[in-house]
């Protein structure tokens, strides 16, 4: 039996931890009337070193937890899970009897970057695992094979500033090193291909120059989700701000503390969810 | 003898304390090659309750400190000082033998807001003192007398989030109260008329809706300074990021600690400057 989602249902968002909260932040600002349910799979954080089959399994379980709570759309706010599972997950959702769209990172920001570039030179900054997966290269070249993409793996960029510590001169030198190949290539558009990078957005903008457009996962996802809701006639009829809440597979208190720095809006409630039975509770 | 400034000289920026660092932040991102010298008059903070003649005196002294160090342009990154002194200060600068432009807040963001509105309804959120001064109303109506301006005094908005504490539900209710008259008036453009408000920019955007354009002092000042440098042929010939440093009339260590939260970039050096003799050292 196919279950059609309700317009008043929340949008589900999942990530391996708190990083995806920068995407949720943009969604809360860009689609303020919608309700959201965020799942942080912090018990299995980080996803970076997991195999693709393992990540496909995690993504299915995360989706099941959200579907069991009646979400009307699923956002995969995680680069690793998107790279491994974005083709498999919609099939899994459909087979389990739900007509729910799945939107991941990578695709939306690649599309937006190609739409924005004027000189055809686009850069992407991401973790070494994301760059090695080739996901951005495939996505950008699928939209426009004539774009020249410069990919820079940034092993230490995600650590800067996310703990609330001031940015240091050493951080600036590190970021400068990552920006050097982009400056050399003359890119006019740069994808921030990791959910943690909005914390260093201003620093990167200063190093790259004001003529360069930065594209974050959050900005791109907001548009894509907005289109999807309009197309499916699933936008909420509410005119007041929506509610949002959190599930996490690990320590809920730690998630709330660290998460509030990433969300930059009140955290509301965080509930623990166990990974085995509760998915189908 | 008139002193013509050098292209390689820094741009001077002053405020009563750390608030203007959000303006400097935008200047560092938008004009990365320029050098900056920031003066925080923290010994006399806050400016909010001072009389206009007193503020004109303070602005002159601050300008003298910056001029003595050879700045090529002066930015008044402070609402109170701009309201009281923006007409007097250029005369003082000229009389003291300098051909240095003075750019304040209020004017640039009013101009940008009028340029951006499509329905002619503009809002401004600012401190009670700024709203009472009528400065935004005069500036907006001078650009376009047919714009309908809705002014909202926000006695407690500057306190939210600037100390690094997470935004609470009470903060949201407070911000919602300040946004209510703007929503009712149907504004499509809102001026954030206080240098502290960028900290609640995302919250305000969520409450006002994504179709509303927010205009901050920083964004507007960056353009105005860029134009001024181009017009006077004073843009730096440097192609690497500029340097920036800080003077403060109060406790330099406290300024550095609090300031780094406002600047969101490395603070560099902060030197104490005494208010009497050193102005002309």
């Amino acid at each position: 039996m196919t279950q059609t989602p309700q317009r008043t249902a929340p949008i589900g968002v999942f990530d391996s931890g708190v990083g995806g909260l920068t995407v949720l932040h943009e969604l809360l600002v860009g689609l303020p009337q919608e309700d959201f349910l965020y799942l942080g799979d912090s018990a299995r954080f980080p996803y970076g070193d997991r195999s693709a089959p393992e990540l496909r399994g995690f993504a299915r379980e995360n989706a099941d937890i959200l579907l069991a709570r009646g979400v009307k759309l699923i956002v995969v706010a995680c680069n690793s899970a998107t790279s491994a599972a974005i083709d498999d997950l919609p099939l899994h959702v459909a087979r389990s009897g739900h007509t729910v769209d799945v939107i991941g990172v990578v695709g939306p920001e690649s599309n937006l970057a190609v739409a924005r570039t004027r000189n055809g030179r686009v850069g992407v900054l991401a973790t070494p695992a994301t760059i090695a997966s080739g996901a951005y290269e495939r996505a950008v070249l699928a939209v426009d094979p004539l774009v020249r993409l410069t990919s820079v793996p940034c092993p230490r960029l995600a650590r800067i500033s996310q703990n609330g510590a001031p940015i240091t001169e050493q951080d600036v030198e590190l970021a400068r090193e990552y920006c050097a190949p982009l400056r050399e290539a003359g890119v006019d558009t740069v994808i921030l291909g990791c959910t943690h990078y909005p914390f260093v957005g201003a620093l990167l903008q200063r190093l790259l120059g004001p003529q360069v457009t930065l594209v974050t996962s959050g900005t791109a996802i907001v548009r894509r989700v907005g289109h999807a809701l309009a197309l499916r006639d699933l936008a909420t009829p509410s005119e007041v701000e929506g509610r949002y809440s959190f599930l996490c597979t690990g320590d809920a208190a730690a998630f709330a503390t660290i998460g509030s720095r990433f969300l930059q809006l009140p955290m509301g409630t965080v509930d623990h969810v166990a990974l085995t039975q509760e998915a189908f509770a």
Side-chain angles (χ1 to χ4, degrees), chain A:
Chain A
M1 194 183 73
T2 299
Q3 295 179 29
T4 308
Q6 302 290 314
R7 274 191 258 173
T8 52
I11 295 166
V13 181
F14 77 82
D15 178 37
S16 58
V18 293
L21 292 174
T22 64
V23 173
L24 181 63
H25 173 89
E26 294 298 331
L27 285 163
L28 291 171
V29 171
L31 299 166
Q33 276 77 50
E34 297 295 337
D35 289 349
F36 291 91
L37 175 60
Y38 183 98
L39 168 62
D41 188 9
S42 49
R44 299 187 289 203
F45 176 88
Y47 278 9
D49 300 327
R50 308 282 188 167
S51 72
E54 205 172 13
L55 287 176
R56 279 193 286 275
F58 292 178
R60 288 178 175 211
E61 283 180 36
N62 293 337
D64 289 343
I65 292 173
L66 293 170
L67 288 169
R69 284 158 178 81
V71 298
K72 63 181 176 184
L73 188 141
I74 293 175
V75 173
V76 186
C78 170
N79 274 282
S80 305
T82 298
S83 301
I86 199 64
D87 293 329
D88 172 74
L89 202 53
L91 303 175
H92 171 74
V93 169
R95 277 191 209 113
S96 62
H98 295 272
T99 55
V100 166
D101 290 307
V102 178
I103 294 175
V105 288
V106 181
E109 55 263 37
S110 300
N111 184 27
L112 197 53
V114 171
R116 290 233 173 122
T117 181
R118 289 291 167 270
N119 70 3
R121 293 157 200 253
V122 172
V124 57
L125 301 171
T127 63
T130 298
I131 296 294
S133 78
Y136 280 102
E137 195 159 286
R138 282 192 300 277
V140 167
L141 298 183
V143 184
D144 183 349
L146 292 182
V147 160
R148 189 181 300 169
L149 185 71
T150 304
S151 301
V152 182
C154 309
R156 289 178 293 161
L157 193 57
R159 288 181 212 163
I160 297 178
S161 185
Q162 68 177 55
N163 62 356
I167 292 176
T168 65
E169 286 295 344
Q170 287 72 30
D171 296 334
V172 176
E173 287 313 314
L174 186 68
R176 190 196 308 280
E177 199 179 293
Y178 297 142
C179 289
L182 301 179
R183 290 176 64 115
E184 204 167 318
V187 302
D188 69 357
T189 307
V190 174
I191 298 168
L192 304 191
C194 170
T195 55
H196 294 242
Y197 294 176
F199 288 104
V200 285
L203 173 60
L204 295 170
Q205 187 79 69
R206 175 165 157 86
L207 295 171
L208 292 165
Q211 73 288 352
V212 172
T213 302
L214 301 188
V215 176
T216 65
S217 307
T219 320
I221 287 267
V222 169
R223 294 183 176 212
R224 195 64 71 99
V225 171
H227 300 167
L229 295 179
L231 197 71
R232 305 292 194 198
D233 195 22
L234 279 177
T236 180
S238 165
E239 294 194 352
V240 298
E241 294 107 62
R243 290 159 304 177
Y244 53 92
S245 58
F246 302 88
L247 298 171
C248 104
T249 60
D251 181 336
F255 182 90
T257 305
I258 303 167
S260 70
R261 257 201 310 274
F262 282 71
L263 191 65
Q264 294 178 59
L265 286 168
M267 273 299 284
T269 59
V270 181
D271 290 323
H272 176 76
V273 57
L275 275 165
T276 45
Q277 314 93 318
E278 279 197 54
F280 308 96

